[in-house]
Structure formats: structure tokens, C-alpha cells
Amino acid sequence: MKLLASPEIWFVCGSQHLYGPGPLKQVAANAQKVAAALAASKKLPLKTVFKALLTTPDEITSVMLAANADANCAGLVLWMHTFSPSKMWIRGLGLLKKPFLHLHTQFNRDLPWGSIDMDFMNLNQAAHGDREAGFIHTRLRLGRKVVVGHWSDPEVHERIAAWQRAARAWHDWQGAKFVRFGDNMRQVAVTEGDKVSAEMQLGFSVNTHGVGDLVAKVSDIGIDSRAVDALCDEYEQRYAVAKELRKGGRRHEELRYSARLELGIGVFLEEGGYKGFTDTFEDLHGLRQLPGMATQRLMAAGYGFGGEGDWKTSALVRAMKVMNAGLPGGTSFMEDYTYHLSPKGHRVLGAHMLEICPSIAAGKAKVEIHPLGIGGKEDPVRLVFDAPAGAALNASLVDLGNRFRLLVNEVKAVKVPPMPKLPVARAVWECRPDFKTACQAWILAGGAHHTGFSYSVTAEMLEDFATIAGIETVHINADTRLPQLKQDLRNNEVYYHLNQGFRA
């Protein structure tokens, strides 16, 4: 995956000097064993490193500042093996800029009922040590994830893994750059947004290059380039390429132009260090086609993408691709395109004009060329495929003016019916809890028509991500009830207005 870092998670244990050097030595040894078990877990995507046993305010502050300064630290796991008076943590936590997870565990799994004494009780008192820590986290109004259970429990590892994936995506966003080729689609509201607020709160920057800058890179890729030859050979080996586009076919030159688009955009992104991009069919001056297969394949390589200049979705798709790195299933830019409203079952047909990522393809994709129908350009080359059945979700990042909101709708993708006259990649799904409730909830919450669609990213990961980012999240799932959702949205208006104050 392009530009994907593998940062570390620091494991930090809290205690105090009240217990003396012997118990503290045991506490440190136990904490290192817990950290080592997390580091060895195959469920966790990032390396866990034992960093310190902290027993004084100065030690705590020093480690928190070190975490801020270490670009390879994506976050911290905090655990209080014993009682660690939480006033010691106020200064350090107040300065901490990295996300943290509070692990509420204890070293021993079972109590030794027959031999337990006060020495054992004093050494193993995370039951109230973590409650003391939790109070100060709440008193400081710190967003964090709390995971409860023994450190060997597979479910505990799964919940930590979800947070690590969110923390990795947040780490990936910090300093990330996204490029817009041209402006967004004219008169569209949801693809607009405050890029300054995004950089302030979310950490990534978005800037525009004229399409001419991209045209120059594409022009540098000569029509007879060996790189074009190699890419066309790869297409024929990897996909079912339409006969007219194959080598010797009457439209092979158009496949070669698509390859030049892929290579040119790829060079532009690599030279600029960009992690995602946008384009729009209304702003293609100098390009013969709207990039179709080029965009699809670059998305599959890990780049974020948003159609019609939608930079928020481009950034979100990138974050979701970072979260799903190494997991089965894929993630794609998506659009709720049209509905099947049969009394026998309501379904959504998701697609876009061209740009659906082949990471969600069921089987071998086909390479075809067809008219686009809008934009007034040449027929674009595209990958055509069906997405598989299975549990999935749609997510949307919207700018409400005074804050960002992340919407998540859990869905059930179903087998795609035959659509021989629709030459685009497509998915079909059923919404949870049901079509009418989900669509009402989505619209009431201001969700966009562009989304990130994933079979591997979970609602828990996205909730953790929103907590880290300090943004609102709206979760639409099997338990959603509209009266409660409406009240939650009203409550959130008040909360975020008071919480953000004049920064908006």
C-alpha cells in the first residue's frame, strides 16, 4: 500500500512509590509481560512496545512529551497495575497530543482464593487503580477508548486491534496531503467544505492543481513508452480485457491512453507525496477521458479518491484503506446511485460513473470501453465487476459548518443481479435496520451521497477514529430507532456548539 507507515504503540503502566522497591520491580516485570503478549498477538496490526513504569508527575509528563515528539508513536495504552494517584497524571495528560487507550485489566487472571493475602491485594489492585485513572480522564474531558478484560482474552485483543487500526489511520492523516485536480462539480453543496478547519482539526491538507499540471505529466508518458507496454501487458494478464482493447484490437490505443493516465497520475501523486486525489468530469481540459480504470487501480494501490472534487471522501477512503490494511475484503469510494423498491425487499444499487475500487471485486474484473454519457469527452476505459455478498458498511464525512460529522450505516451486501447493459462496477445492499429507517436517519443526519464502502472496516474502528479526531459520529445499525436518533442529533447540536466554542 502506498505511503503506509508502521508506527508503534507505547505501553505505559502506572503505579506509585508507596509500595516500595520490591513490589515496583514486580509491577514493572508484569507490565513488560503484558506488553510482550500484545506485541506477539497476531490480531494486533501494530507493534506494542513497553515504554515505562510511571510513578511520579515528572516521569509521566516526560513520557507524554516524548510521545508527542516521536513521529513513530501512533498512540499509547495506559494501565494502572496498582493504585496510581491520578493527580500525578494531570499535567502529563493535559499535554498529550497522541491518542490513548485505557486497558482495564489485571496481571493475574484468576484469584488464588486459598492463599490470597494483603500483599497480593496491594500488588494487584487495578480494579480501583484504573477507576482512579478513569476519573481523571473523564474530569479532563479526554476522548479515549476503554477496553475491559484480561490481557490474554482474544476479545480484548480484537478491541485493541480495532483501536490500533483507527490510531494508525489517524497517524496517517497527520501531515497527509490530498490534491484536487480542478475544482468540485459546480453547484454541488456536499462536496464543498472548510479545508482550513479540516487541517486544524483533522491534520491533513487539501490543495488544488490545475488540470493542466496533470496533463503535462500524462504527456510526459509517451504513447510508445515501455511503461505503457508493460502496463497493457499487465492488464491482459490480470483482467478479462475486451477484444477490441487488446493488443491488435481496433481500440487498443484507447487502452494505452488509459495506461498513460494511470502512469501520469501516479507520477504526480508520488512526486507530490499525496495520499489521495479528486477530479471531476466538468474540469478535464486537456484530458481525452475522465480517468476510469486509472483511478480504480490507483485506489486499489491505497490512494484515497473522491469524485466530483469531493476531498472529504477522498481523505476518508484513504483512512479506511489504512484501517483495513492486511484484512480480507476491500474498501472503495462508493455512491448510493438508485433504489430497488419492491414490496418483496428494498435494496440500494451502489456504483459510480466509473470509479469503484477493484479491491471489492468478486472474481475477475473485465476491462471495457463505453460512452460516459456526460462530460463531452472520449469513451473512458473502466473495470467492470460485481461486488460480493457479505456484511459491509458505508461511511460519510460531512462538514456541517461548525463541526465535522462521521456517519456510519451497517449494511448487508447481496448477490448482484445480472445487469448486462450497465457497464460499471457495482454493489447491491440492504440497509440496517431497514431501508426506510436507514435512509431517513442518513438524510436527517445530513449524510452525503458519496461514501467509503468497506467489507473489512468495522463500525468500532470508525467510532474509535471519530473519538480520536474529536468529531461527532452517527451510527445507523440494527438498533437504530428514529425518535432516539432525532433526539441525539438535537443534543449533539448543543454539545458540539458548547464544546467547540469560537474555534469553529
Side-chain angles (χ1 to χ4, degrees), residues 58-305:
D58 287 343
E59 290 175 355
I60 293 165
T61 300
S62 178
V63 168
M64 299 301 114
L65 291 175
N68 291 343
D70 192 331
N72 198 43
C73 174
L76 298 84
V77 172
L78 306 184
W79 170 47
M80 306 303 130
H81 188 306
T82 64
F83 195 81
S84 180
S86 66
K87 286 177 67 178
M88 297 194 305
W89 291 78
I90 291 173
R91 179 159 49 103
L93 289 174
L95 295 169
L96 180 64
K97 302 298 184 184
K98 297 292 177 77
F100 74 92
L101 177 147
H102 184 190
L103 177 59
H104 184 39
T105 190
Q106 63 185 26
F107 183 69
N108 57 294
R109 191 192 67 180
D110 304 325
L111 285 178
W113 301 106
S115 61
I116 190 168
D117 56 18
M118 284 308 300
D119 287 339
F120 182 94
M121 296 279 277
N122 286 332
L123 184 66
N124 299 281
Q125 51 178 310
H128 62 291
D130 277 329
R131 282 172 167 78
E132 169 76 356
F135 166 77
I136 207 63
H137 301 162
T138 297
R139 179 67 175 81
L140 292 169
R141 282 25 177 209
L142 298 176
R144 78 281 191 192
K145 182 173 189 174
V146 179
V147 175
V148 179
H150 194 258
W151 48 271
S152 66
D153 184 345
E155 182 185 350
V156 167
H157 288 207
E158 289 171 2
R159 298 206 62 218
I160 295 173
W163 175 82
Q164 284 195 2
R165 291 182 178 279
R168 189 183 200 181
W170 178 252
H171 180 271
D172 184 78
W173 260 13
Q174 304 314 295
K177 297 191 296 181
F178 294 85
V179 60
R180 299 166 72 220
F181 295 122
D183 203 354
N184 66 306
M185 183 178 174
R186 292 184 281 277
Q187 303 293 347
V188 177
V190 77
T191 55
E192 297 281 4
D194 188 337
K195 296 187 285 293
V196 173
S197 291
E199 190 163 356
M200 288 170 58
Q201 182 162 10
L202 305 179
F204 61 81
S205 65
V206 182
N207 287 290
T208 299
H209 273 264
V211 179
D213 293 340
L214 175 58
V215 170
K217 294 297 182 186
V218 174
S219 297
D220 287 343
I221 310 294
I223 188 63
D224 296 322
S225 163
R226 291 184 180 178
V228 173
D229 293 339
L231 204 48
C232 288
D233 288 342
E234 180 183 334
Y235 297 156
E236 295 203 23
Q237 293 169 13
R238 189 166 184 177
Y239 310 115
V241 179
K243 185 177 180 180
E244 60 186 344
L245 291 172
R246 293 180 199 159
K247 199 173 297 182
R250 65 183 181 86
R251 306 192 75 173
H252 180 65
E253 192 277 332
E254 288 160 283
L255 180 71
R256 295 181 68 83
Y257 183 72
S258 180
R260 291 172 65 198
L261 284 174
E262 181 179 338
L263 293 166
I265 298 172
V267 168
F268 195 104
L269 297 175
E270 287 190 18
E271 289 182 353
Y274 295 107
K275 293 181 176 179
F277 66 103
T278 73
D279 60 25
T280 173
F281 65 92
E282 287 184 335
D283 195 350
L284 293 173
H285 187 70
L287 294 179
R288 289 165 43 188
Q289 305 172 7
L290 175 65
M293 183 166 66
T295 296
Q296 292 174 289
R297 282 174 49 84
L298 288 165
M299 225 188 308
Y303 289 109
F305 175 77

Side-chain angles (χ1 to χ4, degrees), residues 9 111 123 192 215 226 264 410 414 416 453 499:
I9 299 296
L111 285 178
L123 184 66
E192 297 281 4
V215 170
R226 291 184 180 178
E410 296 181 21
V414 299
V416 177
F453 178 85
N499 187 51

Side-chain angles (χ1 to χ4, degrees), residues 433-447:
D434 58 77
F435 176 85
K436 292 179 179 179
T437 301
C439 289
Q440 286 184 72
W442 190 271
I443 289 171
L444 286 168

Side-chain angles (χ1 to χ4, degrees), residues 423-504:
V424 295
R426 55 279 179 114
V428 176
W429 63 82
E430 298 170 350
C431 302
R432 296 190 184 280
D434 58 77
F435 176 85
K436 292 179 179 179
T437 301
C439 289
Q440 286 184 72
W442 190 271
I443 289 171
L444 286 168
H449 56 286
H450 289 164
T451 63
F453 178 85
S454 182
Y455 289 91
S456 51
V457 174
T458 65
E460 183 177 13
M461 293 176 200
L462 289 168
E463 182 180 350
D464 290 345
F465 186 72
T467 299
I468 292 169
I471 62 176
E472 180 186 5
T473 182
V474 175
H475 188 186
I476 305 168
N477 62 10
D479 298 323
T480 296
R481 301 294 181 268
L482 285 172
Q484 184 61 53
L485 180 128
K486 291 177 183 179
Q487 186 59 49
D488 290 343
L489 294 178
R490 287 191 288 266
N491 294 345
N492 287 354
E493 288 288 352
V494 177
Y495 169 80
Y496 281 96
H497 175 73
L498 295 175
N499 187 51
Q500 306 245 2
F502 290 107
R503 288 193 64 194

